[in-house]
Amino acid sequence: MLDTGVPDLGQVLDVLGSSLLRPLTVLPESPVPVSGVLVFERRAPFPLPPVRDAILLAVGVGVVEAQTLELVGAAAEAGYACVVVKSFGEPVEQLVAAARRAGIVLLAADEVVAWHHLDAMISSATTPTVRFGQAAGAPAVGDLFALANAIAGMVGGATVIEDPNRRILAYSTLPGQAVDEGRRQGILGLQVPDGPDYDEQYRVLTRVGRTCRFPAVPGGLPRLGVAVRVGSEVLGSIWVVDAGEHLDTVAEQALSDVAHNVALHLLAARTTESAVRRRYADLLGRLLVDPSSVTAVAPQLGLDPNSPVAVAAFAVASVDVEDVLTAQAATRLADLVSLHCEARYGRHGCALIDGTVYALLPSGPSPNAHRELVAYIARRAHSALRVPVRAGLGSLVQGLRSIASSRADADLVLRALSERPGAPEPCQVATIDEAWAGATLSALARMLATHEGLPRGLGPPIRAHDLEHNTTYASTLLAYLDADGDVAIASHRLSVHPNTIRYRLSRAREIFGFDLADPDERLVLWLRLRLGEQLGW
């Protein structure tokens, strides 16, 4: 694939690797040209290729269905080079026989790879441009560090490859190429340092479709940068240090050209990373649901079952947990939490369960290490996702067998944060020790709501009276009790005159007959008003 001609199927498979596409039929001895990729969907018309020799992705069809057998024959008649299916463990013998009869190549795709990623990777591999990545002895797809060295040698400067969250995925190590302090700090933490200068560079880079030249930031060196894209999706970026400002327009063009090839590597790396991360997420999810599985799960997570751990819980603050955008944000939040936790503690797994992201945090070097990390992740997530984020940290427990207790603490903290009055703050973070009062009330509300022996008719029906008569006794009493009986503070909170508070309190005593001087009545009345909406009182 060094020339500018159309690649053949064998070359494409060599580029993508056998773990991604596995031949189910023997490839012909003569090269099979590949002109592009098209998608077949069950409810859509059969796609006729504009030119022969395209690859057809059979999306959503079962390998044992009669329709799939017909699809293989139709693809052969239309001139497709091959058909790609996902078997999901089903027998493929009949389909293989049909492909042989039709004279078309049949490939099986890795089930964990999303179809749109596979589409992008094949499209990238079949683009007829000169790309060093397919040269003999070039970096294997997914070997990002070798790729960074290849780019550094070709363009002429120290190179880093980053993901969209500015995490450094790989960096070059060729001798004699100058680096600056920003690069050193980024490599040490595998994360680009924060700063307004970097923020502006990334904004510029994602707006344009070519190599950009950036002047030196304070204490740094000039750089060339280019965004790596598949379609409209930004997969990451490439940065090359221009130490002597000698990188000319030829270097700029070379960096633009190689971005297409880097996209292929990033997609392959993402596919592998997603599969590994999903496995660890499944293991952690199993452990959270069934702590008795610790003996089997702990070795696979690389953890000592008896080491102290804490559970952190993260969630996107939304009034509608079924909202599609919220669900998408939760998925991205899980990726961000995974990245940061892996950078700090290694790969122990992060699990997305019912919209909440759980992370397992081994005992840190200091008592506040977990709190600081959770707060940092929440801030970065809010900045990246542009949505309010809540984070709760459970107690440190002595071993994985007690993990359910720490998770329950973290859930209570999240619930307590969500029940705070007023609009959600952009970033809310608390530990179980910090949120003990709200967490206790939240737990108490859940117990009271499910306690069948607790009569619902006890106590004054203040809220019901307000609804029927359009009065505000409930909010007035709650503000008064929250202010510890201080009329001035309550009136300020409700923006009414203090005499109005006194009048409403007097009328409430007359109507409902309670005694605010009685500490028991005062406590229960406050609980009913504070938890009333959750309990339906």
Side-chain angles (χ1 to χ4, degrees):
M1 293 175 64
L2 283 175
D3 56 39
T4 57
V6 176
D8 66 65
L9 183 57
Q11 292 173 320
V12 172
L13 294 179
D14 287 342
V15 169
L16 298 180
S18 59
S19 62
L20 191 66
L21 287 175
R22 175 171 54 90
L24 295 177
T25 58
V26 178
L27 270 62
E29 293 183 3
S30 57
V32 178
V34 175
S35 60
V37 59
L38 293 173
V39 175
F40 169 82
E41 295 181 273
R42 184 187 296 274
R43 297 185 180 182
F46 181 80
L48 294 175
V51 293
R52 295 179 62 85
D53 303 320
I55 294 176
L56 182 63
L57 305 183
V59 176
V61 299
V63 295
V64 295
E65 297 176 0
Q67 181 189 17
T68 311
L69 300 177
E70 297 174 358
L71 174 64
V72 167
E77 292 181 6
Y80 279 98
C82 71
V83 176
V84 181
V85 297
K86 291 185 179 182
S87 65
F88 294 101
E90 294 181 333
V92 297
E93 287 78 12
Q94 281 189 307
L95 192 60
V96 169
R100 287 171 178 164
R101 288 194 300 270
I104 190 171
V105 176
L106 185 65
L107 303 177
D110 188 339
E111 285 87 354
V112 303
V113 182
W115 282 111
H116 68 282
H117 283 168
L118 185 60
D119 184 2
M121 294 176 76
I122 295 175
S123 297
S124 180
T126 57
T127 299
T129 57
V130 178
R131 296 192 301 269
F132 72 87
Q134 281 73 53
V141 172
D143 188 348
L144 293 176
F145 280 88
L147 181 62
N149 275 335
I151 296 172
M154 179 181 69
V155 179
T159 300
V160 294
I161 300 173
E162 302 171 12
D163 72 3
N165 300 309
R166 307 187 197 178
R167 186 175 68 119
I168 294 177
L169 302 175
Y171 50 88
S172 64
T173 56
L174 297 186
Q177 292 187 332
V179 298
D180 57 22
E181 188 59 28
R183 175 183 157 99
R184 291 190 187 93
Q185 292 301 318
I187 290 174
L188 286 175
L190 293 181
Q191 181 72 46
V192 176
D194 291 327
D197 293 320
Y198 293 119
D199 292 342
E200 179 58 26
Q201 289 181 356
Y202 282 93
R203 278 193 289 269
V204 171
L205 201 67
T206 54
R207 283 200 304 263
V208 301
R210 53 177 172 77
T211 297
C212 298
R213 187 179 293 274
F214 296 102
V217 300
L221 294 169
R223 278 172 168 74
L224 300 183
V226 66
V228 180
R229 290 182 170 87
V230 168
S232 60
E233 181 182 3
V234 177
L235 300 179
S237 56
I238 314 168
W239 298 84
V240 178
V241 173
D242 186 7
E245 298 190 69
H246 64 277
L247 300 183
D248 55 15
T249 56
V250 175
E252 291 182 15
Q253 186 59 50
L255 194 57
S256 292
D257 291 342
V258 81
H260 185 82
N261 190 64
V262 174
L264 179 64
H265 285 253
L266 290 183
L267 282 167
R270 177 189 290 186
T271 297
T272 303
E273 185 73 9
S274 296
V276 173
R277 188 167 289 146
R278 186 180 297 112
R279 175 174 174 270
Y280 279 86
D282 291 343
L283 289 170
L284 178 57
R286 177 184 172 188
L287 189 60
L288 290 171
V289 173
D290 179 19
S292 65
S293 65
V294 61
T295 303
V297 173
Q300 299 180 69
L301 290 175
L303 291 173
D304 180 351
N306 301 313
S307 293
V309 293
V311 175
F314 301 81
V316 174
S318 173
V319 295
D320 184 4
V321 296
E322 299 297 329
D323 181 68
V324 173
L325 294 179
T326 301
Q328 292 175 345
T331 301
R332 292 187 61 197
L333 176 62
D335 290 337
L336 288 171
V337 174
S338 294
L339 291 175
H340 288 292
C341 289
E342 288 169 16
R344 181 69 62 90
Y345 298 111
R347 181 172 279 135
H348 301 311
C350 291
L352 176 60
I353 303 175
D354 296 330
T356 300
V357 180
Y358 296 97
L360 197 61
L361 309 181
S363 182
S366 70
N368 293 325
H370 288 160
R371 174 66 166 80
E372 293 169 357
L373 175 63
V374 169
Y376 174 76
I377 293 174
R379 289 193 302 270
R380 292 301 298 259
H382 167 65
S383 175
L385 303 179
R386 306 299 182 188
V387 295
V389 174
R390 299 189 185 104
L393 179 60
S395 55
L396 187 70
V397 294
Q398 299 304 309
L400 294 178
R401 290 176 179 83
S402 303
I403 193 175
S405 173
S406 186
R407 178 194 177 180
D409 288 346
D411 285 336
L412 272 177
V413 175
L414 282 187
R415 194 174 298 113
L417 292 176
S418 69
E419 291 167 359
R420 286 180 177 176
E425 298 174 15
C427 186
Q428 295 175 290
V429 179
T431 67
I432 187 64
D433 292 331
E434 294 168 343
W436 66 268
T440 301
L441 282 176
S442 182
L444 181 60
R446 296 186 72 190
M447 288 187 287
L448 292 176
T450 58
H451 197 293
E452 297 180 357
L454 185 67
R456 294 293 186 266
L458 289 180
I462 302 174
R463 292 184 184 277
H465 183 280
D466 283 346
L467 289 174
E468 182 178 352
H469 300 281
N470 196 28
T471 52
T472 56
Y473 293 121
S475 59
T476 301
L477 281 164
L478 185 56
Y480 175 77
L481 293 170
D482 283 345
D484 200 20
D486 191 313
V487 171
I489 294 176
S491 66
H492 177 73
R493 290 176 178 174
L494 295 178
S495 300
V496 298
H497 195 277
N499 287 340
T500 302
I501 299 292
R502 296 187 181 95
Y503 172 76
R504 291 177 183 172
L505 293 175
S506 176
R507 284 289 296 148
R509 291 191 190 97
E510 295 175 6
I511 296 171
F512 303 111
F514 53 72
D515 182 8
L516 290 179
D518 185 321
D520 290 343
E521 288 195 30
R522 192 166 60 246
L523 172 62
V524 176
L525 181 61
W526 179 79
L527 282 172
R528 288 181 62 85
L529 294 171
R530 175 69 172 78
L531 306 178
E533 292 183 2
Q534 301 171 54
L535 299 176
W537 288 353

